[in-house]
Each structure stands twice: as C-alpha cells, then as structure tokens.
Amino acid sequence: MVPAVHWKLCGLAAIAVTLSLEGLFLFLRRRRPLREVLFFPAPVTCTEQLLSPGMRCPCPLSHTDSALARLMRRLLGARRTLELCVFTFSCPPLARAVLLLHRRGVRVRVITDSDYMAAAGSQIGALRQAGEESVCGLVAEGYQGIEVRHSQASGFMHHKFVVLDKELVITGSMNWTMQAIQTNRENLLITDDSVCVRAYSGEFEHLWEEYDPATYEFFPEKD
C-alpha cells in the first residue's frame, strides 16, 4: 500500500500545478494586446453623461452606445498624458473631452496643421486659451497648460493619431470633425501593442521638436 503521506504529497502537487496553470492563464489573458476597431459614420447620440458623470441628460438624442462614445471613453481613460496629432479639429464633444482631461491634470500636447488650425469651427483656439488660462494661475501652481504646435512646411501635417499615457494609440483615417463622425466613411484602430505605441510616440516627439516655435521661419529677419 502507498503511504498516506505519499497521497498527501501528490494532492499538494496537483493543487500547485492547477494554481500555476490558472496563474499562467490569467497572465496571458492580461497580456493579450488590445485591438478595437471603430467605423464611422456613427449615429448621432448623446455623450453628455461621459463629460458630466452622474448627470441625467434630458436631451432628445439617443443615449445608446456609439463609435463616438467608445472613442470618448478611451480618451477619458487617460491618466497622465495625451499626445494628439491631428490634421483638423472642429468636433466640439471631442474638444470638451480634451479640455476635461486638461482640468483633471493630464498633460495635453497637440500638433496640428498650420493651414487648417484657423479654419471655421476649429477648436484649436479654445485649447490654446485653456492653456493660457492655466498659465495665468487658474489651476494649481506648476501645472502646465495645453501646448499647441503646428507645421511650418509647405506640405500638410496630415497625421490623425493620439497616444494615451504612452500605453495606447488610436489612429486611422478620421479627422476630428463632425463631418467625419456623422457623414464620412472613416475608421479608427485602437491598440496597446507596444511596437505600435513606441512608433507613434516617437513620431510625435520628433514632430514636437521639429515644430518648436523657436525655429519657426514664417517671419524673415529684417535687414
């Protein structure tokens, strides 16, 4: 007969193997890259509850989920940094989401195109004003306001991507405009794949340095 202690050891070994397999499964599950795709045009839905949590909005718009709502939830999940590189930006709900992150203390930096930043309906001015107000002392001391830099070359700054916390990237064909969201056929890819995140983060930093206002050449030196 097999001693009882032997059965006890076998039982303990079986439990250890089971726990190890469960731990490995949970680890692999956590490490599985995020891959989400959003398609537009999206139905017109209310996003007020995302911007004002706890408030019940009485507006007549549908309060169901939509591609825009999912995009905004991803953006509002940023905790430390938001680095936005977008050709044209005129969507008020997305601008409100960016400003909300700014008020929460997230460092927001924006790169855009010099020609389209002043187009009708552009939200770039509102972002810059928020930054100026912060610098004037309307938020905690030492907090940086929203910084905006723009292209200075003849070609368009045509990127459309955003990096969140250097952990997540959102990119695709969509400009941040109401027409793109409600009318155009557009797409966005959301991923936390580290290779993609590093590549887009590196491109943002490269352009950020290239578009440093200290190097702008719009105003030639006087003789």
Side-chain angles (χ1 to χ4, degrees), residues 74-100:
R74 291 293 184 188
L75 294 174
L76 292 170
R79 294 293 178 265
R80 299 180 302 279
T81 60
L82 182 143
E83 293 152 351
L84 172 63
C85 194
V86 65
F87 176 56
T88 179
F89 188 174
S90 61
C91 176
L94 291 177
R96 288 182 61 196
V98 172
L99 290 169
L100 179 58

Side-chain angles (χ1 to χ4, degrees), residues 191-223:
T191 180
D192 63 356
D193 180 84
S194 59
V195 174
C196 294
V197 172
R198 282 197 301 271
Y200 279 97
S201 183
E203 174 66 2
F204 184 93
E205 296 298 343
H206 169 74
L207 292 178
W208 190 254
E209 293 302 318
E210 181 180 337
Y211 298 158
D212 186 337
T215 66
Y216 284 171
E217 299 175 353
F218 296 115
F219 308 104
E221 295 181 3
K222 296 181 180 180
D223 295 331

Side-chain angles (χ1 to χ4, degrees), residues 34 36 38 40 45-53 62-79 82 93-94 96-98 100-101 104 162 164-165 168 170 176 188 190:
L34 167 67
E36 181 179 2
L38 303 178
F40 297 84
T45 59
C46 178
T47 56
E48 191 62 35
Q49 290 178 328
L50 294 172
L51 299 167
S52 304
S62 170
H63 289 74
T64 58
D65 198 19
S66 68
L68 176 59
R70 292 196 290 274
L71 170 60
M72 291 178 64
R73 276 197 293 272
R74 291 293 184 188
L75 294 174
L76 292 170
R79 294 293 178 265
L82 182 143
L94 291 177
R96 288 182 61 196
V98 172
L100 179 58
L101 289 172
R104 288 177 180 173
V162 58
L164 309 177
D165 296 332
L168 187 76
I170 304 173
W176 285 26
L188 288 176
I190 305 172

Side-chain angles (χ1 to χ4, degrees), residues 14-204:
I15 293 172
V17 170
T18 301
L19 292 175
S20 297
L21 291 174
E22 289 179 352
L24 177 62
F25 173 77
L26 292 173
F27 173 78
L28 293 175
R29 188 176 180 181
R30 286 197 304 269
R31 297 294 297 174
R32 185 170 57 188
L34 167 67
R35 296 186 182 96
E36 181 179 2
V37 180
L38 303 178
F39 290 107
F40 297 84
V44 180
T45 59
C46 178
T47 56
E48 191 62 35
Q49 290 178 328
L50 294 172
L51 299 167
S52 304
M55 187 195 79
R56 298 189 62 181
C57 181
C59 79
L61 293 176
S62 170
H63 289 74
T64 58
D65 198 19
S66 68
L68 176 59
R70 292 196 290 274
L71 170 60
M72 291 178 64
R73 276 197 293 272
R74 291 293 184 188
L75 294 174
L76 292 170
R79 294 293 178 265
R80 299 180 302 279
T81 60
L82 182 143
E83 293 152 351
L84 172 63
C85 194
V86 65
F87 176 56
T88 179
F89 188 174
S90 61
C91 176
L94 291 177
R96 288 182 61 196
V98 172
L99 290 169
L100 179 58
L101 289 172
H102 168 67
R103 290 196 293 271
R104 288 177 180 173
V106 174
R107 186 191 180 192
V108 177
R109 293 186 291 167
V110 179
I111 294 174
T112 190
D113 183 78
S114 59
D115 291 336
Y116 279 78
M117 63 187 294
S122 174
Q123 298 295 309
I124 297 299
L127 300 183
R128 279 185 154 171
Q129 289 175 4
E132 292 169 1
E133 290 171 356
S134 298
V135 172
C136 289
L138 297 185
V139 295
E141 183 180 355
Y143 178 69
Q144 295 184 357
I146 294 180
E147 302 169 90
V148 178
R149 293 186 180 182
H150 57 77
S151 60
Q152 52 178 318
S154 57
F156 290 132
M157 200 306 297
H158 210 239
H159 282 316
K160 299 109 178 173
F161 68 84
V162 58
V163 181
L164 309 177
D165 296 332
K166 299 193 182 299
E167 296 176 352
L168 187 76
V169 64
I170 304 173
T171 185
S173 66
M174 194 188 82
N175 282 306
W176 285 26
T177 67
M178 294 307 298
Q179 177 177 334
I181 292 168
Q182 297 181 356
T183 306
N184 296 352
R185 296 290 178 181
E186 308 278 5
N187 70 86
L188 288 176
L189 171 66
I190 305 172
T191 180
D192 63 356
D193 180 84
S194 59
V195 174
C196 294
V197 172
R198 282 197 301 271
Y200 279 97
S201 183
E203 174 66 2
F204 184 93

